[in-house]
Amino acid sequence: MSPGILARALRQDLSQVDFGLRRFRLRPGPARGVLESAGRAFLTGLNASIEPGSEALGQQVAALEPESRGFAFEGAGMGCALLDVLLPLRRARVAALVHGPAADYPHLVHVGVGWAYARLRLRPFRSTATDPLLRWLAWDGYGFHQGFFHTDRVVGRHRVEPGLGPGPRQIRDQGLGRALWFCECADPDGVALRIAEFPAARQADLWSGIGLAATYAGGADAAELARLADLSGTFRAHLAQGCAFACAARRVSGIVPAHTDKAAEVLAGASTDVAADWTDQALGQLTPCPSTLAHYQRWRADIRYLWERKSR
């Protein structure tokens, strides 16, 4: 198949992120616009990344608002992974992306890889991701995709794809938690009620995803963030851990919007830099070359420990 034909087959309509069409929660205020804009940026990056030639992605990402570019590179991660899987003889697009135009967005690219595997109905056990530790974020992207596009089954009926062990499922549920932030249009009470419907053993990871999405994507004001923190209850550390992940991703990009600073202050009780530092400190406690699922889960747990120590 020629690159042009494949690009036309993979191209996505921007209207599919419309919350009304997706039957997501609709509520007054800016949240819907903020989150739909993130979705459109994602699809912009996806569509540009699958076009033949190398100019389209850089041009279209540069035309976006700076704080939206991470979503575009997440979409580009999906597009490059799709091409790597479907055209394996030239399988180096994800690596070229993360070492090239998306060098400041490694977390987002690896999340985008998981979208591609979910779309192809594959599992990212051995994905085209490049970083030995961040590759586990492909499971996060996988979970977001499932929650966003299969909402009735995955959110409404709490279905989990068969054959997932507890480790991948936990990271997948972090991504599903991020999707819930979109499904509930950043409404704290809606989020809490939805998570409470899930089995108790899955709720911590969902709250982790909520912290990540609320901090990175935004959509909630200071009062709503405070309400979210109160509603997280016993999962407060997981909410803060997700927040810290988002702070780290924003800091690496060099673009930290005001809503991220506010979320860090409310959800982590710290500045964006301090919360991001927790991720670096926790990473430093791992082996010199962390790569396993156990390393990834230890990373998350140590971030929670640093938040708890600070909050005593």
Side-chain angles (χ1 to χ4, degrees), residues 26-51:
L26 304 177
R27 66 187 186 106
R32 178 181 178 183
V34 169
L35 298 178
E36 285 182 342
S37 176
R40 288 191 295 271
F42 178 98
L43 293 179
T44 296
L46 166 62
N47 289 340
S49 69
I50 59 178
E51 291 293 336

Side-chain angles (χ1 to χ4, degrees), residues 185-208:
C185 200
D187 176 62
D189 289 277
V191 163
L193 288 171
R194 182 68 75 177
I195 292 178
E197 295 171 350
F198 279 78
R202 297 179 60 189
Q203 293 179 20
D205 296 299
L206 296 171
W207 276 108
S208 174

Side-chain angles (χ1 to χ4, degrees), residues 162-181:
L164 293 190
R169 195 270 304 153
Q170 289 172 334
I171 309 172
R172 177 257 195 204
D173 275 354
Q174 178 177 267
L176 177 57
R178 289 194 304 115
L180 287 177
W181 186 248

Side-chain angles (χ1 to χ4, degrees), residues 1-10 52 83 86-90 93:
M1 183 182 295
S2 73
I5 293 173
L6 184 57
R8 287 194 293 274
L10 296 176
L83 295 178
L86 296 173
L87 300 173
L89 293 180
R90 300 183 309 182
R93 296 169 187 83

Side-chain angles (χ1 to χ4, degrees), residues 34-35 71 177-182 186-188 191 206-221 224-225 228-229 239 242-243 246-247 250 257-264 267:
V34 169
L35 298 178
F71 300 110
R178 289 194 304 115
L180 287 177
W181 186 248
F182 285 71
D187 176 62
V191 163
L206 296 171
W207 276 108
S208 174
I210 293 297
L212 215 166
T215 305
Y216 196 95
D221 61 27
E224 290 166 336
L225 290 168
L228 187 70
L239 184 74
C243 174
C247 289
R250 282 293 190 186
H259 73 252
T260 294
D261 285 334
K262 177 54 67 175
L267 302 184

